[in-house]
């Protein structure tokens, strides 16, 4: 499914890029204003290159590739509910891919994990009737925080817990 979406996105992006290039060519074929036109073309080309590089770099660490098949490492079960998180371990191993299996006991929640600076590392939707999964490798030991990223009622903001990575069990 993700490959299909990726293929469709690439085809559509190619079509848009081709339309831009055609527009650039057409605008350049008129008067003898070569300097401005070629600078414009270079600018568009540079923007495309920067856009592709930034997109690839920013999407690479996402855990999408690890979603399918059997989990590669330990499995951790997560339950979200109004308004709590339950995690079946307090100590998550460091340096190996762990897979969170997340489900809800009531409404939709958003299982989001941040580091101790509050930076979001990953998140997965937690939906009634589904067990959603997300894999992550924690490179650094420490305390990580769980927050809710889907509005789920009056105490949504209070759906916070934490777990430790790499400590003594
Ligand atoms: Cu659970 Cu917001």
């Amino acid at each position: 499914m993700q490959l299909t979406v990726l293929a469709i996105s690439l085809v559509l992006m190619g079509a848009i890029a081709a339309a831009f290039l055609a527009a650039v060519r057409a605008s350049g074929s008129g008067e003898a204003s070569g300097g401005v036109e070629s600078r414009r073309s270079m600018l568009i080309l540079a923007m495309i290159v920067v856009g592709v590089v930034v997109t690839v770099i920013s999407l690479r660490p996402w855990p999408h590739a690890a979603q399918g098949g059997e989990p590669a490492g330990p499995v951790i079960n997560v339950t979200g509910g109004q308004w709590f998180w339950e995690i079946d371990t307090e100590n998550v191993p460091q340096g190996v891919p762990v897979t969170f299996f997340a489900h809800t006991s009531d409404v939709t929640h958003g299982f989001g994990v941040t580091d101790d600076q509050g930076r979001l590392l990953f998140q997965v939707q937690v939906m009634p009737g589904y067990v959603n999964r997300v894999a992550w490798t924690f490179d650094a030991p420490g305390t990580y925080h769980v927050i809710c990223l889907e509005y789920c009622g009056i105490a949504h903001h209070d759906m916070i817990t934490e777990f430790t990575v790499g400590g003594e069990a």
Side-chain angles (χ1 to χ4, degrees):
M1 179 63 184
Q2 280 173 356
L3 278 180
T4 311
V5 172
L6 178 66
I8 292 171
S9 303
L10 287 176
V11 167
L12 291 177
M13 286 161 68
I16 291 171
F20 268 103
L21 286 177
V24 168
R25 286 235 174 82
S27 69
S29 64
E31 328 255 301
S33 53
V36 174
E37 295 304 334
S38 79
R39 252 180 285 137
R40 202 173 282 166
S41 302
M42 288 303 291
L43 185 62
I44 290 177
L45 190 64
M47 286 165 67
I48 290 171
V49 169
V50 169
V52 168
V53 169
V54 167
T55 302
V56 168
I57 290 175
S58 60
L59 291 184
R60 265 180 69 86
W62 281 24
H64 288 169
Q67 295 307 293
E70 284 295 303
V75 167
I76 297 168
N77 293 294
V78 175
T79 305
Q82 287 165 318
W83 288 276
F84 62 88
W85 290 110
E86 256 176 39
I87 304 176
D88 68 355
T89 178
E90 286 174 3
N91 207 280
V92 174
Q94 179 194 345
V96 295
V98 294
T99 303
F100 293 90
F101 279 57
H103 75 275
T104 173
S105 61
D106 39 53
V107 302
T108 297
H109 302 277
F111 176 67
V113 173
T114 75
D115 63 15
D116 58 1
Q117 310 285 318
R119 282 181 297 235
L120 184 67
L121 299 175
F122 60 89
Q123 72 96 32
V124 69
Q125 210 67 6
V126 183
M127 298 140 65
Y130 294 88
V131 177
N132 286 333
R133 56 191 277 181
V134 62
W136 190 258
T137 302
F138 293 93
D139 293 323
T143 301
Y144 290 79
H145 302 274
V146 178
I147 55 177
C148 183
L149 292 174
E150 180 74 44
Y151 183 71
C152 55
I154 192 87
H156 154 74
H157 63 280
D158 215 23
M159 264 184 82
I160 298 170
T161 190
E162 60 185 40
F163 57 82
T164 310
V165 168
E168 305 300 314

